[in-house]
Amino acid sequence: AQKITQTQPGMFVQEKEAVTLDCTYDTSDPSYGLFWYKQPSSGEMIFLIYQGSYDQQNATEGRYSLNFQKARKSANLVISASQLGDSAMYFCAMREGLSNSGYALNFGKGTSLLVTP
Amino acid sequence: DGGITQSPKYLFRKEGQNVTLSCEQNLNHDAMYWYRQDPGQGLRLIYYSQIVNDFQKGDIAEGYSVSREKKESFPLTVTSAQKNPTAFYLCASSPQVSGANVLTFGAGSRLTVL
């Protein structure tokens, strides 16, 4: 079963506007971590932000913030003041504390974001 | 600068040939991983290694093999048994810690089977 679901295959946003990329997850493990990565067209994966399941506050990193709603099992990424360089694929990922894959991450299928002038 | 180096960046292979993708890291990370990326599929875990001389199968290990003889190196061999090897392959590493165990990725290797 898919553990990470990203329902938006593609999104458009105008430069300087904010955009929310959706991510829902499925786990029965009380201890887990949620990650967002950016993948530009060059292919490398760039870490953006992390949220632990026990963290009381939503994570923020510069223009990135994570809207963590634990009861709804959602971890949406909010990008404020979008820039043209934000155009890329965005992946949500999860690491479970009781995973049988060590510390590997389980990735969603991604959302393609296009920022327009 | 610390990081992960993957080579080659592009690789073409004829059907029936084995190919080996190189992954080297100088981050002193204990754990290393191989992921495969297909269009619209996200990243899927092939193999991972938490310590030298030990590795475990991921979700799609069939047709692949790995070795971990040195901490810095985790090469992936795509064998002729892999039915659909054309894909983008990403290597990653991480420290062996709980919490924000951030994976650092290489730039990837794109394999095309002719």
Side-chain angles (χ1 to χ4, degrees):
Chain A
Q2 187 72 22
K3 294 201 171 192
I4 295 286
T5 302
Q6 295 181 252
T7 57
Q8 307 152 313
M11 291 279 287
F12 291 90
V13 66
Q14 204 156 19
E15 204 177 0
K16 299 178 187 173
E17 297 293 313
V19 63
T20 298
L21 306 183
D22 294 342
C23 173
T24 58
Y25 59 92
D26 181 25
T27 182
S28 56
D29 192 335
S31 175
Y32 54 90
L34 296 156
F35 301 74
W36 277 91
Y37 280 82
K38 172 184 177 181
Q39 186 181 43
S41 57
S42 54
E44 79 270 27
M45 296 284 284
I46 302 166
F47 167 70
L48 296 177
I49 196 166
Y50 165 81
Q51 179 86 42
S53 59
Y54 295 118
D55 293 343
Q56 296 296 316
Q57 306 229 346
N58 285 346
T60 60
E61 289 286 349
R63 293 186 299 111
Y64 303 108
S65 60
L66 203 152
N67 184 0
F68 181 47
Q69 299 188 43
K70 197 170 182 177
R72 300 176 67 176
K73 293 189 175 178
S74 107
N76 299 339
L77 177 70
V78 180
I79 305 175
S80 62
S82 296
Q83 302 171 356
L84 296 177
D86 293 335
S87 295
M89 283 291 292
Y90 288 81
F91 291 94
C92 180
M94 177 173 66
R95 174 193 50 78
E96 295 172 288
L98 297 175
S99 167
N100 59 2
S101 299
Y103 290 104
L105 299 183
N106 200 321
F107 285 84
K109 295 188 176 183
T111 295
S112 177
L113 177 66
L114 181 62
V115 181
T116 59
Chain B
D1 283 339
I4 299 182
T5 302
Q6 288 188 242
S7 62
K9 191 169 178 64
Y10 299 95
L11 185 61
F12 297 89
R13 183 193 101 174
K14 292 182 180 179
E15 281 194 28
Q17 288 181 334
N18 291 357
V19 293
T20 297
L21 307 181
S22 170
C23 178
E24 303 277 333
Q25 56 103 353
N26 60 4
L27 299 166
N28 199 33
H29 285 169
D30 287 312
M32 297 187 75
Y33 314 83
W34 274 105
Y35 285 90
R36 170 180 171 142
Q37 186 177 19
D38 296 282
Q41 291 288 329
L43 278 68
R44 293 181 290 169
L45 182 66
I46 305 173
Y47 267 98
Y48 66 98
S49 167
Q50 297 185 83
I51 197 168
V52 174
N53 292 323
D54 185 58
F55 48 83
Q56 306 295 330
K57 292 181 180 180
D59 300 319
I60 56 165
E62 185 175 348
Y64 299 97
S65 66
V66 294
S67 63
R68 186 87 187 276
E69 297 176 3
K70 298 186 300 180
K71 186 175 184 177
E72 303 78 23
S73 178
F74 192 40
L76 174 74
T77 297
V78 185
T79 75
S80 56
Q82 169 49 233
K83 290 181 171 49
N84 186 16
T86 293
F88 188 54
Y89 291 89
L90 284 157
C91 178
S93 71
S94 73
Q96 278 280 70
V97 295
S98 58
N101 187 50
V102 176
L103 267 62
T104 301
F105 282 84
S109 293
R110 190 168 298 278
L111 172 63
T112 303
V113 173
L114 304 172

